[in-house]
Amino acid sequence: MDLKKLEQLLTAYKDNKLESSEAVRRISQLHYEDIGYARVDHSRSTRQGFPEVVFGAGKTREQVVGIVERLVQSSPNVLVTHTDEGTFGEVRNIVTQAEWHETARLIRIQRDNTELGVGEIAVVTAGTSDIPVAEEAALTAEAMGNRVKRVWDVGVAGIHRVLAERSLLQRARVAIVAAGMEGALPSVVGGLVSVPVIAVPTSIGYGASFGGVAALLGMLNSCASNVTVVNIDNGFGAGFVASLINRKWQEPLSDEKNK
């Protein structure tokens, strides 16, 4: 539950600016709002640090728009992943600040640009073909209040390319590395830096890459101890976790502290 919004509601009720029935309705929706085809989680931001993200694939345009319409009432920043430009057009009809990012197939609404990270997040790709997945990670991290540096096309087939970026990588607080084929780049980056490396296997490669499974297995078997792995093509998940790692610590509200 969003405690700040709850306090505002109680204050409005106390000051006779809100009828009791309306106050009850709004309080009941601070956890989630049931709109029939979805239960919109309004307390996700309080629990996890960012509002519920809409996964667009498999949803109709009307469903995506309906969910976004509810989320933007309480969340300044909203993401819709794995969607299309037609859905963006419908979303922009209700939220003019919506942005369409073709490469990542992502809609971003960003009305709060508060910086929440302690440092930079480096987002790196092995090849140009990995950029769509990496860009999803970068856009997610930016929406969550981080400074992001993009480093494209520095795969191990030309190892000098990633070595030329060593200074930038070593300044980062977290590195996200997207790679297909054999998925070797995260191990290389992991050996160069002293921070967490989030490896993202992509479905780029020839037949025996098995749609990213070869890269996934290679990354899971990395000998660099600072490398961890998300699912195939899951740029969003990498950006989200990197943001939590980079976030300035805020001590949660404790019942013991308030006794």
Side-chain angles (χ1 to χ4, degrees):
M1 180 176 290
D2 190 324
L3 298 179
K4 185 177 293 184
K5 287 178 183 168
L6 177 59
E7 183 180 5
Q8 292 171 350
L9 283 172
L10 293 175
T11 300
Y13 173 70
K14 181 181 177 182
D15 294 341
N16 295 317
K17 296 177 180 177
L18 202 61
E19 294 291 334
S20 59
S21 58
E22 179 63 14
V24 169
R25 186 188 71 81
R26 293 191 190 182
I27 289 172
S28 69
Q29 292 180 355
L30 287 178
H31 278 302
Y32 70 87
E33 182 180 359
D34 190 343
I35 59 174
Y37 53 83
R39 300 190 184 198
V40 182
D41 188 352
H42 291 301
S43 64
R44 186 80 57 92
S45 181
T46 301
R47 298 194 320 272
Q48 296 188 347
F50 193 75
E52 180 178 8
V53 172
V54 185
F55 183 72
K59 294 182 177 67
T60 66
R61 288 178 181 175
E62 291 76 14
Q63 288 171 338
V64 171
V65 171
I67 296 168
V68 170
E69 192 170 18
R70 281 7 181 249
L71 286 172
V72 295
Q73 293 176 19
S74 56
S75 304
N77 295 352
V78 174
L79 292 176
V80 182
T81 65
H82 289 246
T83 188
D84 56 53
E85 191 169 6
T87 302
F88 162 69
E90 297 292 331
V91 169
R92 199 175 188 283
N93 286 336
I94 62 167
V95 191
T96 57
Q97 300 98 324
E99 309 163 353
W100 171 237
H101 295 272
E102 175 71 35
T103 300
R105 296 191 299 129
L106 179 145
I107 300 168
R108 184 171 67 176
I109 299 164
Q110 188 158 352
R111 298 175 293 184
D112 182 358
N113 293 300
T114 303
E115 189 171 310
L116 300 173
V118 297
E120 289 181 343
I121 295 175
V123 181
V124 185
T125 72
T128 303
S129 298
D130 302 309
I131 290 176
V133 174
E135 186 64 12
E136 182 181 76
L139 292 167
T140 298
E142 288 173 341
M144 293 182 69
N146 299 279
R147 287 178 285 117
V148 173
K149 292 290 187 182
R150 293 163 170 81
V151 182
W152 296 162
D153 193 28
V154 291
V156 297
I159 196 73
H160 55 290
R161 298 176 299 177
V162 70
L163 295 177
E165 300 290 353
R166 181 185 299 187
S167 177
L168 183 153
L169 295 172
Q170 291 176 338
R171 290 197 306 270
R173 177 67 185 84
V174 191
I176 298 169
V177 184
M181 302 291 188
E182 82 280 35
L185 185 60
S187 292
V188 174
V189 174
L192 295 175
V193 302
S194 61
V195 298
V197 174
I198 302 172
V200 190
T202 72
S203 52
I204 299 301
Y206 297 103
S209 69
F210 299 111
V213 173
L216 171 64
L217 294 176
M219 293 171 182
L220 286 172
N221 286 284
S222 173
C223 62
S225 303
N226 53 342
V227 173
T228 190
V229 190
V230 297
N231 206 349
I232 297 168
D233 291 338
N234 189 11
F236 161 72
F240 194 100
V241 172
S243 297
L244 296 183
I245 293 170
N246 190 43
R247 180 155 293 187
K248 299 170 185 174
W249 171 251
Q250 288 185 334
E251 188 173 355
L253 188 64
S254 168
D255 292 337
E256 287 295 322
K257 198 169 184 180
N258 293 317
K259 285 183 179 177

